[in-house]
Amino acid sequence: MRTLNINYIIYFYMFICLTLLFFNIAYIFYMKIRQFVQDGRSRRWKTELERIWNEEECTDRMLRQHRRMLRRKLKRTDQLIAYNNVMERCLGEGVVSDYLRDCYDDFLVLAAEYGTRSAMEKAFFAYVISLYHPYMGTFRKQMVNILLKYMDNATVYCRENVLHALYSIGDAVAVEHAFAFLDNRGLYHSSKLISDGLMTYRGDKEELAWRLWRNCHMWNESLVIAVIQFVTQLEADFSAEFFRELQREGTSIEQRFAYIRYFQRHVKPELKGFLISCLEQYDRANNYLAIAASTALGSYPGDDTRQALEQALRSRNWYVRKNSAISLIHIGIPETELERIYGRSDRYGKEILEYVAGIQFGAS
């Protein structure tokens, strides 16, 4: 068997290295040229928009020509990116709002066009709508229907951008339909993303909250929790409805956890006894409720609260001990009383109090 010449291996290795080097150099130049071209597009859009925004020079004929150009050029994603780069820097200016009102039906045409594109292109167009084009005039319903269709066979990124576009438009019915779509298709979407997104809704948030609450019981649990988390961030009073659900036997542990978090922020003194009872039941099945209650009781000062939190320092669950220690400090227990509690606690209670308070109680 002939021995492979070592020089051939070296030459082949050198060839691969040189190929990779030339590829990287070519890619760097390609990206530089691409960025240069894109910057040029942005500059041209900036000039064009400034010309249209000049009320003294812009005529109806110029505006009609500009709108035809929007429909023609913005069908290309690279042009839409360049246009968006300019528009993002001009948000909030009065002339921009008037301009968008004049062009809203052109964006409806573009929305229909992008509905035939890939999920990534649909996601970007939905992002554009969410940023600066909430006004849809008489075509609002049509725009909403097109955006809802974007969610079919879409990526998580696309669905998230569509939801933000619907929040921006401020249509409560559309948001409800979007959530129903997610539920009907069995699509999971992070409850945290949904609840945070709902806070950007441009309409009446309390009206939206009540609408979603009336319908969310038919949806999957992640959507129900998202609605609860959204309501928790509002000032609206859902205490009667939430307490009724909190006590219902069929309510899941995760939902109960979310309800208790609501009562941490929306203090209802009559619920203190219930929260204390949740804290005192720290067996394995009720750990979640005890964790939530140990945090919520920090908003319910009183001797009974202090006693329950002190007892909870002996819990087998680290989070219950930690949250109880934090709540003891939050309700305003003086340092001398904390030191007495430290002296009555077991080893784990002592450690968590020192950890949370940042005090070495045993130091002389």
Side-chain angles (χ1 to χ4, degrees):
M1 182 176 179
R2 295 179 59 185
T3 303
L4 185 63
N5 193 325
I6 192 66
N7 289 333
Y8 292 155
I9 298 176
I10 294 173
Y11 295 151
F12 180 73
Y13 178 74
M14 291 174 64
F15 172 76
I16 295 295
C17 291
L18 288 172
T19 302
L20 291 173
L21 177 63
F22 285 126
F23 173 80
N24 287 333
I25 292 173
Y27 183 75
I28 290 170
F29 274 105
Y30 167 75
M31 293 304 295
K32 292 275 188 185
I33 293 170
R34 184 177 178 181
Q35 187 61 49
F36 177 78
V37 171
Q38 195 66 13
D39 289 344
R41 292 192 185 104
S42 295
R43 285 193 296 271
R44 286 192 290 275
W45 275 114
K46 186 173 186 293
T47 302
E48 170 67 15
L49 289 169
E50 287 176 347
R51 184 176 70 95
I52 296 300
W53 293 340
N54 189 327
E55 296 179 357
E56 296 179 357
E57 296 182 7
C58 182
T59 63
D60 291 341
R61 181 170 174 272
M62 290 169 60
L63 183 59
R64 286 195 299 271
Q65 290 176 341
H66 174 77
R67 292 178 60 186
R68 283 196 294 270
M69 183 173 71
L70 287 181
R71 296 190 185 204
R72 185 179 73 256
K73 285 194 172 184
L74 295 188
K75 290 180 180 180
R76 291 175 49 188
T77 308
D78 53 1
Q79 291 285 355
L80 182 61
I81 291 172
Y83 177 86
N84 184 64
N85 289 340
V86 178
M87 290 294 293
E88 275 192 291
R89 293 194 290 266
C90 302
L91 291 178
E93 298 181 13
V95 67
V96 176
S97 300
D98 295 337
Y99 162 77
L100 290 173
R101 285 176 178 270
D102 291 334
C103 301
Y104 67 84
D105 51 340
D106 302 305
F107 280 83
L108 179 68
V109 173
L110 291 168
E113 171 66 27
Y114 275 89
T116 64
R117 306 287 185 81
S118 68
M120 187 59 71
E121 290 176 293
K122 287 189 285 191
F124 182 67
F125 188 80
Y127 170 74
V128 168
I129 293 296
S130 71
L131 279 182
Y132 53 79
H133 214 288
Y135 180 78
M136 289 295 137
T138 56
F139 293 100
R140 178 173 176 168
K141 185 176 181 180
Q142 291 94 315
M143 175 63 82
V144 164
N145 289 335
I146 291 172
L147 289 172
L148 287 173
K149 290 178 182 177
Y150 281 20
M151 299 180 72
D152 200 11
N153 297 320
T155 61
V156 173
Y157 178 67
C158 182
R159 289 200 300 268
E160 177 69 4
N161 284 359
V162 169
L163 288 174
H164 275 276
L166 297 176
Y167 304 149
S168 178
I169 292 172
D171 190 319
V173 176
V175 174
E176 179 193 341
H177 287 172
F179 290 174
F181 176 89
L182 291 174
D183 180 70
N184 291 335
R185 295 301 176 91
L187 299 171
Y188 172 78
H189 205 81
S190 166
S191 57
K192 183 69 167 66
L193 284 177
I194 291 176
S195 61
D196 288 349
L198 286 169
M199 288 304 296
T200 67
Y201 179 74
R202 296 196 182 184
D204 187 328
K205 291 185 178 67
E206 185 170 339
E207 178 189 353
L208 174 65
W210 281 109
R211 184 180 193 92
L212 294 178
W213 173 250
R214 285 193 295 268
N215 294 282
C216 72
H217 305 292
M218 300 180 291
W219 302 336
N220 64 64
E221 187 172 72
S222 66
L223 291 172
V224 177
I225 292 173
V227 173
I228 300 169
Q229 290 173 342
F230 168 53
V231 172
T232 299
Q233 299 177 76
L234 305 178
E235 297 302 323
D237 186 2
F238 280 67
S239 56
E241 289 77 8
F242 281 10
F243 187 53
R244 184 167 56 249
E245 288 297 313
L246 181 58
Q247 292 180 303
R248 192 169 61 85
E249 284 189 14
T251 304
S252 71
I253 292 294
E254 287 76 12
Q255 289 181 46
R256 288 184 177 181
F257 190 96
Y259 289 131
I260 291 175
R261 293 296 296 272
Y262 169 86
F263 289 113
Q264 176 186 346
R265 179 165 178 172
H266 300 261
V267 177
K268 299 295 176 182
E270 61 272 19
L271 295 186
K272 184 197 287 190
F274 178 83
L275 294 175
I276 290 174
S277 69
C278 289
L279 178 59
E280 290 174 345
Q281 299 171 13
Y282 26 79
D283 54 77
R284 184 172 298 177
N286 289 296
N287 268 342
Y288 279 113
L289 295 186
I291 290 169
S294 61
T295 301
L297 283 169
S299 302
Y300 293 80
D303 290 339
D304 49 353
T305 301
R306 183 190 61 74
Q307 292 172 8
L309 291 172
E310 181 182 346
Q311 182 65 28
L313 292 176
R314 300 181 176 87
S315 169
R316 293 188 299 266
N317 187 287
W318 186 85
Y319 293 101
V320 172
R321 294 199 305 272
K322 178 190 173 187
N323 292 348
S324 298
I326 293 173
S327 293
L328 278 170
I329 294 170
H330 192 263
I331 63 177
I333 300 294
E335 187 174 324
T336 53
E337 180 61 22
L338 283 176
E339 191 159 4
R340 281 196 291 271
I341 293 173
Y342 176 86
R344 293 193 295 264
S345 301
D346 60 14
R347 170 191 167 189
Y348 300 108
K350 292 181 188 329
E351 288 177 351
I352 203 67
L353 271 177
E354 289 185 331
Y355 173 74
V356 169
I359 301 172
Q360 293 294 319
F361 290 105
S364 55

